[in-house]
Amino acid sequence: MRVLVTGGAGYIGSHTTVELLGQGHQVLVLDDLSNSSEESLRRVAELAGRPADFVQANVGDAAELDAAFTSFRPDAVIHFAGRKAVGESTRLPLLYYRENVAATVTLLETMAAHGCHQIVFSSSATVYGSASEPPFTEDAPTGATNPYGHTKHMIEQILADAAAADPSLSVAVLRYFNPIGAHESGRIGEDPKGIPNNLLPFVAQVAAGRRTGLQVFGNDYPTPDGTGLRDYIHVVDVAQGHLAALARLADGAGCQTWNLGTGRPFSVLEVISAYEAASGVRIPYQIVDRRPGDVAASYADVSKAGRELDWTAHRSLEQACADTVRWQAANPDGYAQ
Ligand code: UD1
């Protein structure tokens, strides 16, 4: 297939592009490089043995998007591009509504104008919020708690409405739990700009000596060791979930939603131990107050994806930590070197 990958230079996008190229698909990456680097695409080409095409543009730029559709003529779109920092979204909500919600509307209009009828969308387990108890099934009540989460939830609604109105449109909504790890080659991985918001990149930078210690946000949750429970999933498993969803889209129209997780939660302290074992480095940490907006536990019921996509996550937390250690050791400053 000819697949347009928005945000394909980013963390999950780059790993998915490697898998797409490996399966013989033609790929055009459209990315504005606002939170990613073109170096990731050079390495994707090296891993896959051939390059993806690349256009540096923002998805919300209708003229650039139209030109990309005219020249590349995609059969399907995988839509990763978007902003994803919860704290930033509460400070700059309109930026999130423009770059996430409005840009997706532009993308859907452009797809319709060019007769492209298949889209896989990067959603997030954040849409479950605290409206129900894990393990979350796809039909669990949703309740996002911040502007970033609201944008994901709104885009899901827009996609469902668009598919209901257009019988030729086929949509896969993938709700990721907590993607971690790196390609096992150590050539591509997560390269957050500034201070990492998420646990694994922060732990990796502490282990590498870039930061002095980790703050554990609360140990008084109703969980076995009091720290938060999350469903950490290897980024290559997430990438392969996209190929499984893409294969299902060809089967028919409508809007369908699948969780991408492992179904097995780990606590913050368990993640620290796993990373210490993989790196051989002790991670100093300090227990501090809960982070506002965090939930005690978030993990997936993964049976629907197993049944309908014939996909399950295969890689362990240990492997994800080992792959992150390899990526971090070979690229101490990420792609900037
Ligand atoms: C966070 C976002 C979520 C987003 C996801 C991916 C929040 C509230 N949620 O999920 O909306 O979809 O990232 O970008 O920001 N932790 C620490 N110390 C740290 C960092 C994290 O103890 O320095 C703990 C957290 O309290 C949590 C766990 O580690 O229990 C995982 O945190 P994180 O990696 O930020 O992911 P989520 O909060 O699940």
Side-chain angles (χ1 to χ4, degrees):
M1 291 176 79
R2 303 177 63 78
V3 186
L4 173 68
V5 180
T6 76
Y11 174 44
I12 305 173
S14 59
H15 288 80
T16 303
T17 300
V18 168
E19 298 297 315
L20 287 166
L21 291 169
Q23 294 287 309
H25 298 288
Q26 297 300 316
V27 180
L28 171 64
V29 167
L30 186 137
D31 196 307
D32 67 1
L33 303 180
S34 58
N35 190 31
S36 60
S37 150
E38 210 177 336
E39 175 63 16
S40 71
L41 293 177
R42 282 190 279 277
R43 298 188 184 189
V44 164
E46 162 202 309
L47 292 171
R50 66 194 178 91
D53 294 339
F54 174 59
V55 172
Q56 184 173 349
N58 185 287
V59 198
D61 184 331
E64 291 271 18
L65 200 58
D66 188 71
F69 271 78
T70 300
S71 63
F72 185 69
R73 294 175 288 103
D75 303 307
V77 175
I78 304 183
H79 181 32
F80 292 105
R83 294 191 171 254
K84 60 160 194 167
V86 173
E88 183 185 58
S89 79
T90 60
R91 285 194 312 278
L92 301 170
L94 301 183
L95 179 70
Y96 275 67
Y97 289 113
R98 176 154 47 78
E99 297 231 331
N100 291 5
V101 180
T104 303
V105 174
T106 300
L107 176 60
L108 288 167
E109 287 171 340
T110 309
M111 286 174 61
H114 289 265
C116 178
H117 305 299
Q118 299 183 21
I119 180 167
V120 181
F121 174 62
S122 296
S123 191
S124 167
T126 197
V127 299
Y128 294 115
S130 45
S132 58
E133 290 298 312
F136 300 121
T137 54
E138 288 81 351
D139 57 4
T142 49
T145 56
N146 55 69
Y148 158 74
H150 292 145
T151 68
K152 291 292 179 188
H153 197 224
M154 285 178 193
I155 294 167
E156 288 195 6
Q157 188 66 58
I158 289 167
L159 289 165
D161 290 344
D166 175 358
S168 69
L169 186 62
S170 193
V171 179
V173 169
L174 300 181
R175 291 179 177 159
Y176 314 149
F177 282 71
N178 291 63
I180 59 166
H183 193 271
E184 65 173 4
S185 63
R187 294 294 288 157
I188 57 172
E190 187 167 15
D191 181 22
K193 293 207 161 99
I195 301 170
N197 295 307
N198 297 116
L199 179 62
L200 244 291
F202 204 103
V203 166
Q205 293 192 2
V206 173
R210 277 175 73 180
R211 302 193 185 276
T212 50
L214 172 77
Q215 295 189 326
V216 173
F217 298 139
N219 68 348
D220 56 351
Y221 284 106
T223 61
D225 67 17
T227 66
L229 289 177
R230 295 290 184 277
D231 185 337
Y232 298 94
I233 174 171
H234 196 293
V235 65
V236 174
D237 282 323
V238 173
Q240 291 173 350
H242 290 74
L243 275 83
L246 199 60
R248 272 302 306 270
L249 285 185
D251 295 348
C255 180
Q256 308 191 68
T257 301
W258 291 286
N259 288 334
L260 296 186
T262 68
R264 160 78 161 94
F266 287 93
S267 73
V268 177
L269 298 183
E270 287 175 316
V271 170
I272 294 171
S273 298
Y275 205 89
E276 287 180 335
S279 63
V281 175
R282 204 181 63 79
I283 315 278
Y285 68 84
Q286 178 193 9
I287 308 285
V288 299
D289 286 348
R290 294 180 179 190
R291 182 171 63 180
D294 272 357
V295 294
S298 171
Y299 52 96
D301 180 312
V302 293
S303 52
K304 187 168 185 259
R307 203 168 54 241
E308 297 180 358
L309 299 180
D310 195 22
W311 169 92
T312 48
H314 294 298
R315 294 163 180 83
S316 64
L317 175 64
E318 288 68 30
Q319 182 169 352
C321 290
D323 291 338
T324 304
V325 169
R326 196 174 303 112
W327 153 252
Q328 181 76 47
N331 307 275
D333 300 312
Y335 292 114
Q337 51 195 342

